[in-house]
Every structure is written in structure tokens, then in C-alpha cells.
Amino acid sequence: IPEPDNIDLIRARIYRHNGRLAERFRDGRIILAGDAAHIMPVWQGQGYNSGVRDAFNLAWKLALVANGKAEDALLDTYGAERREHARAMIALSEAAGVIFSPTNPIVAKLRDGVVRALGLIPSVKRYFLEMRFKPMPRYKEGALVYGSGFKANSAVGRMFIQPQVQTTSGTVRLDDVLGDSFTLLAWGTDPSRWLGERGRHFVEKLGVKIVSAVPLTQMEHERERSDITIIGDTQGRLKTWFGLQNKAIILLRPDRFVAAICTPQELPETLEAFRKAAAITD
């Protein structure tokens, strides 16, 4: 590269990025996370984010095993769930590197022209600014209940939405209501009525929070209870979400991924299926 007359070049360094993925994330008492499990090129800045996702997935599982509430096998679901998404993020970062660093000046100018043209379209510009092209995590196996088998359009294995909801204390984000526990979240019904004996044991053992969402207009008619939290659907997002699933109750994991979804009548057997999938001790 020709050196400009008015600049003294002190040092130059060539950056060679790596994209690497561990064959497995767990080996006995050794568990890999973050850069130890997956190394990503810098182009999308997703190395740190992926490490946080690893920790969020693993923390509650370690806690259950350490407290004797789950068997050691639960830790194997960490790699089963996280490895595929880490692979997808590495592939995205490598693709971005090809786009960001062409060595041919003609290709670079062509790229710049395409980017400027796309930036003139508001919806496309927003799509890229908000990084909606990133692959979202979708767990196809692990501590999940798919019923008759994996379905691409199922909400199971996906992160739940984050709407504003109404409580007796005011309007807050849903996560502020749920906290860091397992949650049985239902639309328009009381999950506690359908638990059964083993279901109640499961709820008590894991400290599962029971939440019922209702239309905002119904909030004033709901009485405050100690065993269940009532929330109002201020934005209509919960009604829409449950309407698309056509089932009224979901089990949310502490990392806010949907572990299972069912009708009220299916709740006892669904909780038992999750207990087995997550190696929860009886």
C-alpha cells in the first residue's frame, strides 16, 4: 500500500480472524462457555453476546444440579441447545467479514453503492440497523417438551416475548413480574386448578411462579391472591401470541425460553414430560 507523504507509518499489522467451535461443550466436570466454546470473527460483535447467552442457558441448570433438584444429565442439554446457535453466529460473522473487507477496489465500490441504495429504503435500512438478519436461537432438543415431535412453527424452544403488562403496582415489563424462576403463564385461566398432585409437587419443588394474563379491561374485576399473579395485557401482545399457538398455558424456563405449551387438561402430563426431559429428580 503506497504510504502518503504526510503520514509516518510506525507499525502495520494484518488481522487474521478465526471461527472455531468446540466439538462438545461439556466433558464430565468441565464445561466450556464463551470464547472457550466458540471463537467468532469480530465483524458482528457477537462473541460477547453469545457468551452471555451461554451463561444464561447454563446458570439455572447448574443451580438445579448443585442443589440436588436435577440429575447430572441436565447439564448435557446445555451443549445440545447452545452449540447450533453458536455455529450460526460464527457463519454470520464470517459472511460479514467477506462483505466488509474486499481487496478488490471495484468490488468495494460496488458494495458501497449497493449499501447506499438500500439505505434509501426506510424498511430495509431499519432491518439492517436493528440487525434483524441475525439468526435467533431456536432449540430443537434439550430441556424441552415437543409433544409428538419437533415442529418448525411451534413456540417451544424459542425465547418468549417481552411486552408491557399491568400489575397492581402499575405498568412494567413482563420480566419484572416473572423474576428468575420457572413460570407457568396462562391466558385467561388459572393454571393452579389443573395441576394435579404431581403437578403441585413439581411447582413446589422448583418454586414455579404461577401467572395468569387477562385482557386489561378485566383487571379491575380480579381480586389479589397470594398463590397466583394476575397481569393485564396492556398492548394486546399476549392475546395475539397465545391466539397463534391455540393453547392457553406455557411453561417458561428461567432463561425465558418456552419449555412447553399445552391446554389446561394436558398440564399434568406436560409437566411430567418436562420433568423427565430436564432430568428433574422425583
Side-chain angles (χ1 to χ4, degrees):
I1 301 175
E3 181 182 337
D5 295 336
N6 60 340
I7 295 179
D8 293 327
L9 185 61
I10 298 175
R11 181 175 61 181
R13 179 173 295 179
I14 297 175
Y15 170 68
R16 300 184 184 278
H17 65 74
N18 286 305
R20 297 179 182 176
L21 182 66
E23 290 184 3
R24 58 188 182 277
F25 286 9
R26 182 197 178 208
D27 188 351
R29 295 176 62 86
I30 300 173
I31 300 176
L32 304 180
D35 285 351
H38 41 73
I39 297 176
M40 303 189 183
V42 300
W43 307 109
Q44 289 295 299
Q46 292 302 306
Y48 178 86
N49 289 355
S50 296
V52 171
R53 289 185 187 276
D54 291 346
F56 207 27
N57 182 287
L58 183 60
W60 63 273
K61 297 175 180 178
L62 280 172
L64 287 179
V65 173
N67 290 324
K69 295 182 179 181
E71 298 174 3
D72 189 64
L74 175 60
L75 300 180
D76 290 330
T77 67
Y78 161 62
E81 293 175 355
R82 283 295 306 140
R83 193 171 182 276
E84 184 175 336
H85 184 249
R87 183 198 302 276
M89 294 307 301
I90 291 172
L92 175 66
S93 297
E94 290 177 332
V98 173
I99 296 172
F100 292 159
S101 57
T103 56
N104 187 316
I106 297 177
V107 174
K109 288 184 178 181
L110 178 61
R111 174 206 59 194
D112 293 346
V114 171
V115 170
R116 291 191 186 96
L118 292 175
L120 298 175
I121 307 173
S123 59
V124 175
K125 182 177 181 179
R126 186 167 58 252
Y127 175 83
F128 283 102
L129 287 177
E130 296 176 1
M131 298 184 73
R132 296 183 187 178
F133 52 84
K134 287 194 308 180
M136 295 301 293
R138 175 72 195 281
Y139 303 152
K140 298 179 181 179
E141 58 179 320
L144 307 161
V145 177
Y146 275 107
S148 59
F150 175 78
K151 294 182 177 63
N153 62 346
S154 173
V156 176
R158 300 182 189 274
M159 185 170 282
F160 195 59
I161 59 175
Q162 173 72 299
Q164 296 280 346
V165 297
Q166 183 71 33
T167 68
T168 54
S169 303
T171 302
V172 297
R173 291 185 181 275
L174 180 61
D175 275 1
D176 294 329
V177 176
L178 303 185
D180 57 2
S181 63
F182 282 92
T183 301
L184 273 176
L185 175 61
W187 174 256
T189 189
D190 178 358
S192 63
R193 295 176 51 196
W194 306 90
L195 287 171
E197 184 177 349
R198 286 185 64 80
R200 291 188 187 282
H201 175 69
F202 176 91
V203 165
E204 292 171 3
K205 181 172 186 172
L206 295 188
V208 179
K209 191 165 192 173
I210 299 178
V211 179
S212 178
V214 299
L216 189 58
T217 54
Q218 190 176 322
M219 274 291 290
E220 58 184 80
H221 303 294
E222 298 289 341
R223 60 183 180 85
E224 191 171 346
R225 294 169 51 181
S226 59
D227 61 331
I228 182 173
T229 301
I230 308 294
I231 57 174
D233 184 19
T234 61
Q235 300 171 308
R237 293 181 63 193
L238 290 172
K239 178 182 178 181
T240 300
W241 191 94
F242 277 97
L244 291 173
Q245 298 303 314
N246 202 30
K247 293 191 176 182
I249 301 177
I250 60 172
L251 175 64
L252 287 176
R253 309 186 328 185
D255 57 5
R256 293 295 159 262
F257 278 79
V258 179
I261 183 166
C262 63
T263 64
Q265 294 83 358
E266 296 169 335
L267 184 56
E269 63 188 73
T270 300
L271 293 180
E272 178 64 14
F274 177 77
R275 186 189 70 77
K276 293 178 180 178
I280 306 298
T281 54
D282 201 354

